[in-house]
Amino acid sequence: MDLVFAVLFGALALIVVITLVRAVRIVPQQRQDVVERLGKYKRTLQPGLNLLVPFIDAVRTKVDMREQVVSFPPQPVITSDNLVVSIDTVLYFKVNDSAKATYEISNFLQAIEQLTVTTLRNVIGSLDLERALTSRDDINRHLSGVLDETTGRWGIKVTRVEIKAIEPPPSIRDSMEKQMRAERDRRAAILTAEGHKQSQILAAEGEKQASVLRADGDRQARILQAEGQAKAIRTVFDAIHQANPSQKVLAYQYLQALPQIANGQANKVWIVPAEMTKALEGLGGALGGLARAAGDEPSASVDSGAVEREAAEAAEAAAAAAADVNNEVRAAEAQVNSRSGPQGLPAPEPVSPASLLGDPATDRRPEQA
């Protein structure tokens, strides 16, 4: 008898435990449970502790309320230029109403996948391959709008649709790689040409600046050299003017300059006629007149303006005397040629400096050759 009571008490305790277990339902965060009473929708359990009527209420589905990510397999799509491309899509969605997601459609994931594929084919079919590759943002927005409008009555919110990859056929990929390679080669050639152009421009600018600097340096050197020569000539002329040379000294200096005049590659024959003494006397007279005007004694100080004027007058007189000498030399050459004939020219007699200057004791003049 005691055994029977023990069994009954145990069975009653088990029934009570099972009833309590079925009556108490704990729902975790971010999940909703759809409850049916005798096969009909009763209510939706929210996260936390919930009580049910045992053996009458039952949980139909457990719906995850978090945002979910679904990656669909590649789908072949034909573009407007009759090319078959393979497109991978990624879908982000979230369940807003668990009751609608349970009762409005049997499998909302499959429905979303098929809707995405059909919408993607419609969108890509109106675009060519170039626009399909460069218009991903437009395609994503169009897909998101169509899916959100359709899945709204299912209690589902499509938050985002992304095209993961667009794979054209192998032949098209090869052509695109060749085109990209050619474009990069063209850009590289353009950049190389631009660099060569810039280097040539910089080299020309540098050569121009170097030429300008060399020309400026040459000009400065010539100016300094000319100033040095002018100072040297002025110093020599002042020294000569202060020394007050006589007529004989000037004539002797002229005779010393004659070999340098005759020392030239074009001068084959140099004739010194006897009539040159007259020219030397005239040159000596001109220079002697300048000497008498300046005085025999050296002066302590010299006026620069007067020195320049005297130098100009002396240069004019020397040029006139040189012209007379040249005329007399030509006349003498013509006279010698007429006397000697075409066979040859007789050798001119040597003329010494003493004969040209004259003997101061007898005051005799040299005879003509």
Side-chain angles (χ1 to χ4, degrees):
M1 199 64 186
D2 293 333
L3 180 61
V4 174
F5 282 112
V7 172
L8 291 176
F9 181 77
L12 182 60
L14 181 61
I15 292 172
V16 172
V17 171
I18 294 174
T19 303
L20 292 176
V21 170
R22 292 181 64 89
V24 177
R25 177 70 63 176
I26 298 176
V27 179
Q29 185 67 29
Q30 292 296 328
R31 197 185 79 181
Q32 291 181 356
D33 294 348
V34 178
V35 178
E36 293 180 349
R37 177 170 293 179
L38 300 178
K40 183 179 180 182
Y41 171 74
K42 177 61 177 177
R43 62 194 178 97
T44 302
L45 300 182
Q46 300 299 325
L49 180 62
N50 297 274
L51 297 177
L52 300 177
V53 178
F55 307 103
I56 297 178
D57 294 339
V59 176
R60 168 71 182 273
T61 56
K62 299 177 181 180
V63 181
D64 192 353
M65 304 301 293
R66 295 174 297 180
E67 186 174 4
Q68 302 180 35
V69 181
V70 179
S71 178
F72 300 132
Q75 300 294 329
V77 180
I78 300 176
T79 61
S80 62
D81 49 355
N82 298 325
L83 293 176
V84 179
V85 295
S86 180
I87 300 179
D88 296 346
T89 55
V90 178
L91 180 66
Y92 298 82
F93 69 94
K94 182 179 180 181
V95 178
N96 293 330
D97 193 340
S98 58
K100 290 183 178 180
T102 303
Y103 295 104
E104 292 293 336
I105 190 167
S106 62
N107 189 348
F108 61 86
L109 286 178
Q110 185 179 3
I112 292 174
E113 179 182 358
Q114 296 300 321
L115 181 60
T116 302
V117 170
T118 55
T119 307
L120 188 61
R121 287 179 178 176
N122 292 331
V123 174
I124 298 299
S126 61
L127 301 176
D128 55 3
L129 179 60
E130 188 70 23
R131 291 184 60 191
L133 293 175
T134 58
S135 303
R136 291 192 177 187
D137 293 338
D138 297 337
I139 297 173
N140 293 335
R141 286 194 297 269
H142 187 76
L143 285 175
S144 179
V146 173
L147 291 176
D148 189 27
E149 181 181 359
T150 305
T151 59
R153 64 175 180 269
W154 299 339
I156 298 172
K157 172 66 176 178
V158 177
T159 57
R160 190 170 185 179
V161 179
E162 290 290 341
I163 295 178
K164 185 168 60 176
I166 299 178
E167 296 293 336
S171 60
I172 300 301
R173 287 201 302 268
D174 188 29
S175 300
M176 293 172 63
E177 289 177 359
K178 291 181 179 180
Q179 182 180 2
M180 183 59 65
R181 190 179 301 113
E183 181 67 20
R184 290 180 178 177
D185 292 340
R186 183 183 68 85
R187 293 179 182 178
I190 291 175
L191 292 177
T192 303
E194 288 290 338
H196 183 68
K197 175 183 176 182
Q198 292 296 329
S199 64
Q200 293 292 330
I201 291 174
L202 293 177
E205 290 290 338
E207 185 65 25
K208 175 183 176 182
Q209 294 179 4
S211 300
V212 171
L213 293 177
R214 285 195 296 268
D216 186 68
D218 190 14
R219 181 178 65 85
Q220 294 292 336
R222 290 178 181 272
I223 291 174
L224 293 176
Q225 185 178 3
E227 290 179 355
Q229 291 180 358
K231 291 181 180 180
I233 293 173
R234 186 178 294 107
T235 303
V236 173
F237 187 80
D238 291 342
I240 294 175
H241 194 77
Q242 290 178 4
N244 194 11
S246 61
Q247 179 180 1
K248 295 181 180 181
V249 175
L250 296 176
Y252 183 71
Q253 292 292 330
Y254 179 77
L255 289 176
Q256 285 183 343
L258 286 179
Q260 297 180 0
I261 298 174
N263 188 14
Q265 296 181 0
N267 296 330
K268 302 302 182 181
V269 180
W270 181 258
I271 300 175
V272 182
E275 288 80 0
M276 186 179 293
T277 57
K278 295 181 181 180
L280 293 176
E281 290 178 358
L283 179 59
L287 297 177
L290 179 61
R292 287 191 299 273
D296 293 336
E297 297 296 332
S299 58
S301 61
V302 180
D303 186 6
S304 299
V307 170
E308 292 179 358
R309 289 193 298 271
E310 291 177 1
E313 293 176 359
E316 293 178 358
D324 294 338
V325 171
N326 190 15
N327 294 331
E328 291 182 1
V329 168
R330 291 182 180 179
E333 289 179 356
Q335 183 178 2
V336 171
N337 291 332
S338 62
R339 289 179 181 179
S340 60
Q343 287 78 13
L345 297 175
E349 295 180 358
V351 180
S352 62
S355 62
L356 293 175
L357 296 174
D359 191 0
T362 58
D363 197 12
R364 292 181 294 104
R365 300 296 179 184
E367 296 179 356
Q368 295 181 356

